[in-house]
Amino acid sequence: MSELKKIGVIKEELQAAEETMLPSFITEYQKDERAGVQKMVQQAQKRLDNLAKERARIETLKKYEKEYEACGYICGIDEVGRGPLAGPVVAGAVILPKDCNILYINDSKKLSEKKREELYDIIMEQAVATGIGMVGPGRIDEINILQATYEAMREAIHNLSVTPDILLNDAVTIPEVPIRQIPIIKGDAKSISIGAASIIAKVTRDRLMVEYDKVMPEYGFASNKGYGSKEHIEALKKYGPSPIHRRSFITHFC
């Protein structure tokens, strides 16, 4: 009988339980009067409640996708890396399936590194198409960061395996793109497609900066990702610029 089960065994059941198993877990143990078991029943119910809240949040993130659903393939566009002193600016383009129900997508800056990495794999697996565009420091210095961002976004769109019918962009209108565009202020927190694009762009860039750190460890790229942390600026003053520093960004430090 269930009341004879050791609490440790019940705890293992809860830890292993998928979402669909939680209601039966609650039903089975809700009459068990042991305080430890009741606490686990409450934890199971909280998990269900949190999942329901997350599903509701994701539905609100589909506002623009639902509004433009009749247009065909909807592509979210976002970039990361406008502000760093080193490394490329990276743009992501993502076309999600119409019935996409990936949970926890959000502005990549609001997610932990672990959650971004988990979502990256899910997005890459489930998306209709993804594209990455990247513009390096030399080109940023040559044409300025805004134009480099546009260039990275155009490249990301070009690298999609499917041509989108409409673009949902985070705040900007991209020049020289014939596809219809909808700029959305703070779009990475308002559109599931833009949020997904921000995640794949962020993970791609962060992974690249970790690789640069292996070659040039003195600048701390693995931790600062090229942004102007105190330690990064001190290293810049001590060692001078690396090949991946944006010369137009570091005139005050070198």
Side-chain angles (χ1 to χ4, degrees):
M1 293 176 66
S2 61
E3 62 265 26
L4 297 178
K5 280 187 183 177
K6 292 182 178 180
I7 288 180
V9 173
I10 299 172
K11 184 177 181 181
E12 288 175 2
E13 286 182 21
L14 177 59
Q15 290 174 339
E18 300 289 338
E19 179 188 355
T20 54
M21 299 161 63
L22 292 174
S24 60
F25 178 91
I26 293 167
T27 300
E28 183 174 358
Y29 296 113
Q30 62 186 352
K31 293 182 180 178
D32 190 318
E33 296 179 355
R34 288 176 291 177
V37 177
Q38 283 303 303
K39 185 176 180 181
M40 283 185 274
V41 168
Q42 291 167 8
Q43 289 171 348
Q45 186 60 57
K46 187 175 181 181
R47 275 174 62 184
L48 281 177
D49 293 344
N50 287 341
L51 283 164
K53 288 177 184 176
E54 176 58 19
R55 285 204 169 84
R57 188 189 69 84
I58 288 294
E59 281 305 305
T60 66
L61 276 189
K62 296 179 182 179
K63 173 189 171 184
Y64 293 97
E65 284 75 10
K66 289 176 181 176
E67 183 176 345
Y68 297 103
E69 186 174 11
C71 295
Y73 285 119
I74 299 168
C75 178
I77 306 283
D78 200 10
E79 54 70 33
V80 295
R82 280 202 202 191
L85 307 179
V89 59
V90 177
V94 176
I95 301 174
L96 293 172
K98 298 282 186 187
D99 60 349
C100 177
N101 288 308
I102 302 173
L103 300 182
Y104 307 109
I105 287 178
N106 206 336
D107 171 1
S108 62
K109 296 184 291 295
K110 296 180 179 179
L111 300 168
S112 68
E113 181 180 357
K114 181 182 178 183
K115 181 57 72 175
R116 285 195 300 266
E117 289 281 348
E118 289 173 4
L119 285 167
Y120 175 91
D121 291 338
I122 296 169
I123 292 164
M124 297 301 286
E125 179 184 337
Q126 295 191 20
V128 173
T130 62
I132 288 289
M134 199 176 299
V135 174
R139 184 66 172 157
I140 292 170
D141 291 336
E142 181 184 341
I143 62 174
N144 79 45
I145 186 60
L146 179 59
Q147 295 306 317
T149 299
Y150 290 149
E151 199 166 276
M153 288 176 165
R154 287 192 292 266
E155 183 182 331
I157 296 164
H158 177 75
N159 287 335
L160 289 164
S161 59
V162 173
T163 301
D165 298 293
I166 190 167
L167 305 176
L168 303 181
N169 305 342
D170 186 29
V172 301
T173 300
I174 311 162
E176 302 169 39
V177 172
I179 303 165
R180 183 184 176 190
Q181 302 181 54
I182 309 295
I184 303 168
I185 303 298
K186 296 186 178 177
D188 46 9
K190 295 179 181 177
S191 158
I192 190 170
S193 301
I194 300 176
S198 80
I199 289 166
I200 70 161
K202 173 74 171 158
V203 171
T204 298
R205 189 180 188 282
D206 283 359
R207 289 177 177 177
L208 183 62
M209 296 308 293
V210 169
E211 291 304 309
Y212 280 134
D213 184 77
K214 295 175 183 177
V215 182
M216 298 168 277
E218 60 269 27
Y219 299 98
F221 291 142
S223 58
N224 62 48
K225 305 302 188 289
Y227 285 87
S229 67
K230 181 182 176 183
E231 292 78 13
H232 183 185
I233 291 168
E234 287 175 355
L236 195 53
K237 291 176 179 177
K238 181 177 180 180
Y239 300 107
S242 74
I244 67 161
H245 275 97
R246 304 171 182 180
R247 302 297 173 129
S248 57
F249 278 49
I250 59 172
T251 53
H252 296 304
F253 310 122
C254 297

